[in-house]
Amino acid sequence: MKISEFISESAIEMLRRKMKSLKEDMIFRGIPDENGIVTDIEIIVANEIDSIASVLKKMKKNEVIIRVYPRELVPSDTDVKIAQIYGEAGGAFYIINVDVSEINAVVSLKKFNKINIDEFFSEKGVIEKNISNFELRHEQYEMAKCIEKSMNENVKLIVEAGTGTGKTIAYLLPTLLYALENDLKVIVSTNTINLQEQLLNKDIPLIKKIVGADFNYQIVKGRGNYLCKRKLYNIDIFEIENEPEETKKEKKIIKNLIEWDKSIAKNGDRGELKYEISSKIWEKVNSEADMCKGSKCPYYSKCYFFAARKNISNATLLIVNHHMFFADLAIRNQSGFYTNYSILPNYDIVVFDEAHNIEDTARNYFTVETSKIAFGRLIGQIFNRKSTGVNNAGVLPKLSSYLNENLDASEYEKIDGLKEDVVSELNSFYDKGMEILTALTKFFLRGKEQSEVKAKIDRKSLISDKNFKKIIKMNVSFREKNGNLSLKINKFLNAVNKYKLEDNEGYIFEFARYSERLKQFFKKFEFIFEGEEEGYVYWTEITTKRSNIKLYATPFDISKELNENLISKLDRMIFTSATLAVDNKFDYYKRNIGLKNEKNKKIEEKIIKSPFNYEKQMKVFIPADALDPSNLEFMRDLHDFIVKSIKATKGHCFLLFTSYSTLNYLFNSLKNYFPKEDYTLIKQNDYPRHEMIRLFKTSKNPVLFGTDSFWEGVDVQGDQLKMVIITKLPFKVPSDPVTEAIIENIKKNGKNAFTEYQVPQAVIKFKQGIGRLIRSKTDTGSIIILDNRVIKKRYGQNFLKVLPKNIVIDNRKEIIKIMK
């Protein structure tokens, strides 16, 4: 092998220079050009060879691991393992000598075939010939062409595609063509179920016809959606006299699930059930990673979850939601990007649709969280001292019964004594935990009668408070009890494990796993309560209706985390949405998710305008005589104007709010003005979200009152939606602990948080809200913006720029006349 066929002369010289200063064994990261020749190098390991995971963690997709040996170029066992794992992911592994004159290409870099989509979009091309009534759009072709380039040149692309572009076909066609041509795997990650359903039921079947090739595609659901047979058949369903009615109902549901499993279930997916099942019961029978015995489970060969995972490993295209994608990334963050322990198989191309949601979703997955309800539930899963029935008594009584059946009397007596020690310590630990969580609840409520409270846990400012000092003392005792409990559990498990019982039902296994969850709970609680790690905001959320307190540690800047764990690992990534740019630039978006230009690799950017004629299809009204939204009389003053506006279009209206309190106030003050026989008023939280949308589409003169989730992802075409009223500009509440921390961090770095974060974030949300109105070329309607800051504040120009030019700014009376 000639080394020049694999590494350029300039890179060879770089390697030689590096090795003069570092003479020990070392590993380099080789960065190839588009022809597969290494043109740049970086040291990733020197002097000491790290673990396989450590080496792979430092590599990107489609690069080269270069190992230096002083003499024979023969791979070690570790080299072979690294080469195999990284090779399967599309990378290469070379061994060179110290002089950089010889090479052993253990795994060569894969050669990629380029694609061209022109034959599909041309007049009388593949699409026109095969799909009748398919509307060829210039904007769709333009977007697909950008994605073709990003695939062929192995670069990242951000593309804002206006409503009506047909972006799903625009990204599915080139990514799938490239994947099929080069035997790669594509992930499409979305934020909403609606878009997933559209992909599965409409767009992917259409793409199959267009490309004329059969390929496997799967929607990937979370593990918790699948039934676990072992857990199901471990539940006692025998009826006992004088059982509580609730227990009888639960046993009936479990019997139905057993019947479903035996005769009807295809995939064991909760979504297959023809009836609703409570989360409380489903959690007793669902598949969980840490409760899985894998190949040691007696039901392994018939396991629904592993059957589903086999299907996804064979698929070319996988559809996931953002939450699952980042749950998978959290695992890769721990075990390395190229791993066999993740939820998803290793992938080559990622398309983030609805990509404006990535930052918040990722932040949720890097957040440490625990709660009072979770603590109580976890203790109950181990041992519930209040329960009268076996089903709800926890795993410890089941384990005790199992041990009683499988050990002789004297052996069981010893074990039972150790079990009683565990029960005693567990109850003591639970009592202290509830005491400290209750004390924290009272402390942050501070005597206020509020249904919900959010507050920062700032140790520095609270340390002088005498009540908080008492809570700190409680935690010292809580920590001691946690240590005592761990000792008792370990002693009990060590004694049980000496007998080497078969444990086919998994009672010993489950008890050990729940005990591990308990350790993790305390670890999380300490992490949040102590609040010592930099880069996090520590905060609490209290809900008095559910008598719950949640504790959080949320990173306020996730750009570095995302860059290191995802963006730096992969180049064929598409970020798309109708709302990514602010002032026709992607600076805000790129900064927040850690997208940076790398050496010799620029991120491609494109804004594709909507094919809709907004000037003709949409009218925008802004009442100039509205009060400032900070005025307490703001909504009351606009009451009559809102009533007349809604009546002008006979309903068919979305009212979008930024808070539940304003929504509830306006709903209660308006409902008497719209008779039930003439109008259908639909308020968020009165129905599930999908039911609200269905009602709106099918009801007479509907008026929908919605907050955050209704600003996006809702598609109502035709005359059923004729007006969207935006009550306030969608600025995040600055007193929210996470928002407050983000603002503080931006200020700390010497920047203006309002212009750098608050305004751009609100503009993107605003664009989403405006986008609810016009969903097709024939739709028409009006937007009313009640917030006068768009015309009275300098930053209002940022919002006005995203609107069509035919804006009517006038007093309310004149606007109503025009609307009529």
Side-chain angles (χ1 to χ4, degrees):
M1 294 181 186
K2 283 185 180 180
I3 196 164
S4 58
E5 293 176 9
F6 300 90
I7 306 174
S8 71
E9 285 299 326
S10 60
I12 288 170
E13 283 306 311
M14 274 190 272
L15 284 163
R16 284 174 180 157
R17 284 197 303 272
K18 295 279 185 188
M19 281 186 283
K20 279 181 182 177
S21 57
L22 297 162
K23 294 184 180 179
E24 302 293 327
D25 285 357
M26 59 190 76
I27 297 180
F28 291 96
R29 171 183 165 221
I31 304 166
D33 63 13
E34 60 181 21
N35 298 312
I37 305 296
V38 173
T39 55
D40 198 5
I41 56 105
E42 288 178 7
I43 296 170
I44 58 170
V45 180
N47 300 322
E48 177 186 341
I49 303 305
D50 279 357
S51 67
I52 294 172
S54 179
V55 172
L56 292 173
K57 205 168 185 181
K58 293 164 186 171
M59 298 301 298
K60 287 182 66 172
K61 201 86 172 172
N62 307 316
E63 292 185 335
V64 183
I65 297 171
I66 301 174
R67 183 86 156 85
V68 182
Y69 277 159
R71 287 174 292 278
E72 292 184 10
L73 309 186
V74 179
S76 67
D77 290 344
T78 302
D79 290 337
V80 171
K81 286 178 183 175
I82 293 174
Q84 183 182 359
I85 295 169
Y86 191 52
E88 286 174 359
F93 190 101
Y94 303 161
I95 300 176
I96 59 172
N97 61 352
V98 175
D99 296 332
V100 199
S101 57
E102 295 179 25
I103 188 168
N104 176 7
V106 180
V107 176
S108 296
L109 201 60
K110 185 175 178 177
K111 302 283 185 186
F112 292 99
N113 298 320
K114 295 187 176 183
I115 58 163
N116 189 325
I117 60 156
D118 286 354
E119 64 172 305
F120 292 89
F121 282 96
S122 61
E123 195 175 329
K124 294 184 180 177
V126 175
I127 295 179
E128 203 171 274
K129 282 179 182 176
N130 291 290
I131 310 296
S132 58
N133 301 321
F134 186 86
E135 183 188 354
L136 288 171
R137 308 173 209 178
H138 171 72
E139 294 83 3
Q140 192 175 56
Y141 168 72
E142 190 181 4
M143 180 176 173
K145 203 68 182 166
C146 290
I147 294 171
E148 174 200 281
K149 184 183 178 186
S150 77
M151 294 295 107
N152 288 339
E153 296 181 6
N154 191 27
V155 293
K156 298 178 180 74
L157 169 68
I158 309 174
V159 54
E160 178 175 281
T163 308
T165 301
K167 61 183 168 64
T168 51
I169 297 298
Y171 65 65
L172 282 174
L173 181 60
T175 54
L176 272 166
L177 280 175
Y178 195 85
L180 292 167
E181 183 67 30
N182 294 286
D183 192 24
L184 303 177
K185 194 176 292 289
V186 183
I187 300 273
V188 173
S189 180
T190 78
N191 191 58
T192 60
I193 293 170
N194 289 350
L195 183 51
Q196 286 192 350
E197 288 175 350
Q198 180 191 318
L199 284 162
L200 290 167
N201 300 326
K202 178 185 171 189
D203 297 329
I204 297 173
L206 188 63
I207 280 290
K208 274 195 151 187
K209 287 183 181 178
I210 291 170
V211 300
D214 194 24
F215 57 85
N216 291 329
Y217 61 94
Q218 294 283 331
I219 184 168
V220 185
K221 295 190 176 183
R223 185 168 194 148
N225 287 284
Y226 294 97
L227 181 76
C228 171
K229 289 174 181 277
R230 182 183 64 79
K231 285 171 70 177
L232 175 66
Y233 290 104
N234 275 352
I235 296 175
D236 179 16
I237 56 170
F238 293 104
E239 293 183 14
I240 301 168
E241 234 179 297
N242 301 322
E243 270 186 324
E245 198 61 36
E246 188 181 344
T247 305
K248 287 179 181 177
K249 285 180 182 177
E250 185 176 311
K251 285 184 177 179
K252 187 178 179 182
I253 292 168
I254 298 299
K255 284 178 183 176
N256 289 341
L257 287 173
I258 290 170
E259 187 60 35
W260 172 63
D261 171 59
K262 286 180 175 178
S263 58
I264 304 169
K266 292 180 181 178
N267 302 314
D269 174 3
R270 184 181 182 179
E272 289 179 43
L273 290 168
K274 302 295 183 188
Y275 51 89
E276 285 294 319
I277 183 168
S278 72
S279 296
K280 182 184 173 185
I281 294 176
W282 185 253
E283 283 171 8
K284 294 184 179 184
V285 298
N286 70 338
S287 179
E288 298 173 285
D290 63 341
M291 291 291 165
C292 180
K293 295 187 76 179
S295 58
K296 292 180 181 177
C297 177
Y299 300 98
Y300 177 70
S301 63
K302 297 176 182 178
C303 177
Y304 293 119
F305 171 74
F306 283 108
R309 283 300 169 267
K310 188 178 178 182
N311 289 338
I312 70 170
S313 66
N314 295 329
T316 299
L317 172 64
L318 298 176
I319 310 297
V320 305
N321 62 30
H322 293 341
H323 289 278
M324 173 164 289
F325 184 89
F326 286 104
D328 174 81
L329 188 65
I331 295 169
R332 292 174 191 269
N333 185 23
Q334 299 298 320
S335 57
F337 193 77
Y338 307 102
T339 176
N340 294 322
Y341 300 102
S342 54
I343 301 168
L344 302 171
N346 288 324
Y347 45 83
D348 308 281
I349 301 164
V350 178
V351 179
F352 288 109
D353 200 343
E354 301 174 311
H356 58 281
N357 291 291
I358 284 176
E359 183 190 356
D360 285 341
T361 309
R363 184 175 281 115
N364 287 341
Y365 266 96
F366 291 120
T367 291
V368 180
E369 175 188 345
T370 193
S371 72
K372 182 181 175 182
I373 286 177
F375 176 59
R377 187 183 294 133
L378 177 54
I379 295 290
Q381 285 165 333
I382 298 171
F383 177 73
N384 185 349
R385 64 190 180 192
K386 293 179 181 176
S387 177
T388 53
V390 178
N391 280 348
N392 297 313
V395 71
L396 192 52
K398 290 180 182 179
L399 173 54
S400 182
S401 177
Y402 170 77
L403 293 171
N404 191 20
E405 290 173 10
N406 287 275
L407 299 175
D408 63 41
S410 60
E411 289 171 336
Y412 176 70
E413 193 175 339
K414 291 175 190 174
I415 290 287
D416 193 49
L418 294 174
K419 182 209 77 175
E420 288 302 318
D421 289 345
V422 170
V423 170
S424 176
E425 288 294 344
L426 187 72
N427 288 337
S428 181
F429 177 71
Y430 170 74
D431 291 339
K432 182 55 68 176
M434 282 305 194
E435 183 187 358
I436 193 171
L437 290 167
T438 302
L440 281 166
T441 303
K442 287 180 180 175
F443 179 83
F444 285 108
L445 281 175
R446 298 182 187 274
K448 295 175 185 174
E449 291 187 10
Q450 291 175 266
S451 58
E452 287 187 7
V453 170
K454 288 182 181 180
K456 273 176 76 173
I457 307 172
D458 188 347
R459 285 289 287 256
K460 288 178 183 176
S461 63
L462 296 174
I463 201 74
S464 58
D465 189 294
K466 64 178 184 179
N467 291 317
F468 198 77
K469 281 181 179 176
K470 288 178 184 177
I471 299 172
I472 291 172
K473 283 184 181 178
M474 285 181 203
N475 192 46
V476 173
S477 175
F478 193 34
R479 193 180 299 123
E480 287 174 5
K481 290 186 182 298
N482 178 62
N484 293 336
L485 177 59
S486 293
L487 288 172
K488 296 295 183 186
I489 288 172
N490 289 341
K491 194 173 180 181
F492 172 67
L493 276 174
N494 287 338
V496 170
N497 288 333
K498 282 178 184 176
Y499 295 107
K500 296 182 179 178
L501 298 167
E502 288 184 9
D503 192 34
N504 287 331
E505 291 83 0
Y507 296 131
I508 301 170
F509 173 79
E510 277 193 19
F511 176 75
R513 300 315 301 157
Y514 279 125
S515 300
E516 186 57 38
R517 285 187 187 182
L518 210 53
K519 288 178 187 175
Q520 291 303 313
F521 162 81
F522 188 76
K523 190 177 177 182
K524 288 177 182 178
F525 175 82
E526 282 272 275
F527 181 83
I528 300 165
F529 186 71
E530 295 298 326
E532 293 175 347
E533 186 79 21
E534 291 290 323
Y536 285 85
V537 54
Y538 302 91
W539 59 288
T540 181
E541 182 179 26
I542 297 164
T543 312
T544 54
K545 283 181 181 177
R546 296 190 69 198
S547 186
N548 191 30
I549 178 170
K550 291 182 179 180
L551 304 172
Y552 302 92
T554 302
F556 42 76
D557 182 356
I558 52 136
S559 58
K560 186 181 176 185
E561 198 92 39
L562 272 179
N563 184 276
E564 288 178 358
N565 295 303
L566 172 65
I567 288 160
S568 67
K569 303 296 182 187
L570 198 66
D571 278 322
R572 290 188 177 98
M573 300 176 76
I574 312 298
F575 301 85
T576 187
S577 167
T579 56
L580 290 177
V582 177
D583 200 15
N584 287 321
K585 291 181 286 189
F586 295 109
D587 296 359
Y588 167 78
Y589 183 73
K590 289 193 294 183
R591 183 174 63 246
N592 282 15
I593 68 165
L595 268 171
K596 299 173 185 175
N597 288 327
E598 293 184 35
K599 199 174 182 180
N600 304 324
K601 284 223 172 170
K602 186 187 172 189
I603 296 163
E604 294 291 322
E605 300 175 8
K606 186 72 178 177
I607 295 175
I608 296 171
K609 299 293 182 185
S610 169
F612 299 158
N613 188 338
Y614 287 114
E615 304 294 331
K616 288 184 177 179
Q617 292 178 256
M618 179 195 293
K619 289 181 181 177
V620 180
F621 299 100
I622 304 172
D625 56 346
L627 295 175
D628 189 276
S630 61
N631 192 310
L632 293 174
E633 295 295 314
F634 170 65
M635 288 309 306
R636 190 176 299 167
D637 181 59
L638 285 164
H639 178 277
D640 290 345
F641 174 69
I642 294 168
V643 170
K644 289 172 183 175
S645 298
I646 293 170
K647 286 185 175 178
T649 54
K650 293 183 179 176
H652 305 283
C653 170
F654 272 15
L655 282 109
L656 298 180
F657 298 83
T658 58
S659 74
Y660 282 108
S661 57
T662 309
L663 182 153
N664 288 325
Y665 164 76
L666 198 60
F667 178 83
N668 290 326
S669 66
L670 290 181
K671 62 184 179 183
N672 295 327
Y673 290 82
F674 297 98
K676 287 182 181 179
E677 60 271 18
D678 296 326
Y679 290 86
T680 307
L681 269 58
I682 307 160
K683 180 167 72 77
Q684 191 163 343
N685 289 340
D686 283 356
Y687 309 91
R689 186 175 184 273
H690 69 275
E691 180 63 13
M692 287 178 69
I693 298 165
R694 189 195 66 79
L695 277 171
F696 188 89
K697 287 180 176 180
T698 56
S699 299
K700 181 182 179 182
N701 301 337
V703 183
L704 187 145
F705 296 70
T707 60
D708 189 60
S709 64
F710 282 90
W711 285 72
E712 62 177 284
V714 180
D715 191 351
V716 180
Q717 294 185 19
D719 290 339
Q720 200 67 356
L721 178 61
K722 300 297 289 182
M723 181 167 64
V724 172
I725 300 176
I726 291 177
T727 54
K728 283 186 183 180
L729 297 179
F731 285 104
K732 284 192 174 181
V733 181
S735 60
D736 175 83
V738 178
T739 304
E740 187 183 347
I742 293 169
I743 291 168
E744 284 174 6
N745 185 53
I746 293 168
K747 286 178 180 176
K748 202 181 287 182
N749 292 322
K751 295 179 180 178
N752 186 316
F754 189 70
T755 56
E756 294 273 337
Y757 172 69
Q758 290 168 276
V759 170
Q761 186 276 332
V763 168
I764 287 174
K765 192 80 175 177
F766 181 75
K767 285 166 75 174
Q768 285 286 337
I770 298 296
R772 293 315 93 218
L773 183 65
I774 305 300
R775 307 302 299 175
S776 75
K777 285 186 176 180
T778 57
D779 286 353
T780 57
S782 303
I783 297 281
I784 298 179
I785 301 165
L786 301 178
D787 193 330
N788 65 18
R789 288 176 292 181
V790 291
I791 53 174
K792 293 192 174 180
K793 298 290 184 182
R794 185 182 294 176
Y795 61 79
Q797 287 300 315
N798 292 279
F799 296 90
L800 293 176
K801 281 177 186 176
V802 308
L803 296 168
K805 292 176 183 176
N806 57 340
I807 302 172
V808 176
I809 302 170
D810 211 328
N811 62 57
R812 284 170 270 183
K813 190 179 284 186
E814 291 303 312
I815 288 173
I816 294 298
K817 281 182 185 176
I818 296 166
M819 288 180 69
K820 284 182 176 178

